[in-house]
Amino acid sequence: MSTTRRLPGLDAARTVAILGMFAAHIFPLYRIGPEGELQATATGLLASGRASVLFMVLAGVSLGLFTRSLARRGMGPGRRVLVILRRAAVITVLGMVIGPINEGIANILVHYGLLFAVLSVAHFLPGRVLAPLAGLWLLLAPVLWRPLAYRWQQDPLGHNPGFLDLSSPRLLLTDLAVTGYYPLLVWCGFGLLGLALSRLDLGRTSVAGWLFGAGTLLAAGSQLLGWALTGPLANQISRATGWPSESVTVAMQVGRAPGGRIDSFLSSGHYLWLPSPHSTSLVNTVHAAACAVALLGLLLLLTDRLGYLGKLISAAGRAPLTLYAGHLLLLPILQEVAEPVTIWWILCAIVLVTALILERTGRSAPLEAGVAYLSGARPTPG
């Protein structure tokens, strides 16, 4: 596979992931309907849980392409690992600095950085090993995660990881691996999946079409399976959580309801079949991973065909770290003075301006350039 040029569809997928997380952080996931009934919103149905998983899968894809570009430049295995570990450290530190500033959002940057550290060794594995490893991880990790999460759910960190949490290392590690919003015990599987995808010839139309078709079928099938297996259990879940049935239905659709998430049902083995976003259930883990694969395939097919619009969408995807960190810092300010719709359009305008600048100059965004410098590697085509 040739990776001498960037893959516009990959960059566009990053833009979609960023916009999806923006939406999930700005708009409500559920609302009260005209007759007083609880309803899922479009944001909850489309973006909740899927955008962040897409972000992690794309991290694996990008890492695979990045390390191959380093190898082509003559960088040895040990040096490549060092570059990745430095990159992981910089992003993790950035996440621990920013996280406490905005506790209203579950900051993914610490987990994102640590994912790179985990993948620093895995990137040496060939594709024929990575693909089954990623599949087994995504199937088995939720099964191992559930009893651990049930055992430790009463002792959560309760906030974004920060430097003060280093004084409680056991609690911090438990949160990062199991009880947090992005438990790495399971979420490393998304990175491995992305790493496996990077071994494919993503520039070929047939490969992109295969990813879109297979991902779509698996996403639809897993979601239907989850609803078929857990829909009849709504009353049982209602008793376990103490919620009315409509709250249970909404939580299964968008991941949460007025009472929170369906953590009270963790004691039951049926939890594995919940289709709920961010539940870390087996069904949702497979579904979210399949959605990421399908969307990546679709954008690999379409982005080049969108002309200048495709170039702008792709250009914004070269600044995922800058845009994500920036919105974490801006949101607390904007939420004091503006309505969600206004905030959405302000952030979209920032994304557009960023895209215009990067597309015209061809340069890296500020945080991406800083991470590349501190990690010891110049930005390379991805």
Side-chain angles (χ1 to χ4, degrees), residues 15 31 50 98 102 105 110 138 173 175 181 189 202 206 244 270 277 365:
T15 301
R31 65 186 174 196
R50 296 179 181 89
I98 293 179
N102 187 350
I105 294 174
V110 175
L138 292 172
L173 290 174
D175 178 85
Y181 209 61
L202 297 177
S206 59
H270 294 299

Side-chain angles (χ1 to χ4, degrees), residues 44-268:
L45 292 172
L46 296 176
S48 180
R50 296 179 181 89
S52 49
V53 169
L54 176 61
F55 200 53
M56 289 298 234
V57 170
L58 297 178
V61 178
S62 301
L63 180 66
L65 301 180
F66 174 68
T67 53
R68 284 219 298 281
S69 72
L70 294 181
R72 286 198 307 274
R73 285 161 47 193
M75 191 175 290
R79 177 72 187 281
R80 294 202 300 271
V81 170
L82 183 59
V83 167
I84 298 170
L85 290 177
R86 285 176 177 170
R87 176 169 291 221
V90 172
I91 295 174
T92 301
V93 168
L94 178 65
M96 296 183 82
V97 169
I98 293 179
I101 297 176
N102 187 350
E103 290 291 357
I105 294 174
N107 183 358
I108 201 174
L109 288 181
V110 175
H111 306 78
Y112 189 71
L114 293 176
L115 175 69
F116 282 116
V118 172
L119 297 182
S120 64
V121 176
H123 88 275
F124 290 112
L125 297 174
R128 65 179 181 276
V129 175
L130 276 170
L133 176 61
L136 286 173
W137 194 298
L138 292 172
L139 290 173
L140 296 179
V143 179
L144 299 174
W145 168 86
R146 186 191 63 83
L148 295 175
Y150 174 65
R151 180 184 304 172
W152 294 328
Q153 67 175 330
Q154 302 303 325
D155 190 25
L157 188 65
H159 55 259
N160 288 323
F163 287 107
L164 293 179
D165 297 311
L166 295 174
S167 61
S168 305
R170 185 196 65 81
L171 182 60
L172 177 60
L173 290 174
T174 300
D175 178 85
L176 292 172
V178 177
T179 59
Y181 209 61
Y182 311 103
L184 285 171
L185 175 61
V186 177
W187 282 62
C188 281
F190 300 130
L192 286 171
L193 173 61
L195 204 56
L197 292 175
S198 75
R199 299 293 194 265
L200 302 175
D201 190 349
L202 297 177
R204 291 183 59 184
T205 301
S206 59
V207 172
W210 183 88
L211 292 178
F212 172 63
T216 300
L217 288 175
L218 184 55
S222 57
Q223 192 77 342
L224 290 172
L225 177 65
W227 279 102
L229 292 176
T230 58
L233 299 175
N235 290 334
Q236 183 178 339
I237 299 173
S238 181
R239 288 193 299 270
T241 59
W243 298 350
S245 58
E246 69 171 12
S247 292
V248 171
T249 301
V250 167
M252 290 172 67
Q253 291 174 327
V254 305
R256 61 174 56 246
R261 295 194 289 174
I262 314 181
D263 296 342
S264 302
F265 197 55
L266 272 169
S267 59
S268 171

Side-chain angles (χ1 to χ4, degrees), residues 311-372:
K311 289 183 178 180
L312 288 181
I313 297 172
S314 174
R318 287 158 44 198
L321 190 60
T322 297
L323 291 173
Y324 182 83
H327 104 283
L328 289 179
L329 297 175
L330 279 175
L331 269 184
I333 301 171
L334 294 176
Q335 287 169 338
E336 291 293 326
V337 298
E339 295 296 317
V341 173
T342 303
I343 296 173
W344 168 254
W345 288 116
I346 290 173
L347 292 182
C348 285
I350 292 173
V351 171
L352 177 59
V353 171
T354 302
L356 289 167
I357 293 173
L358 296 183
E359 197 279 329
R360 185 173 181 81
T361 64
R363 295 183 178 180
S364 298
L367 286 183
E368 282 71 18
V371 170

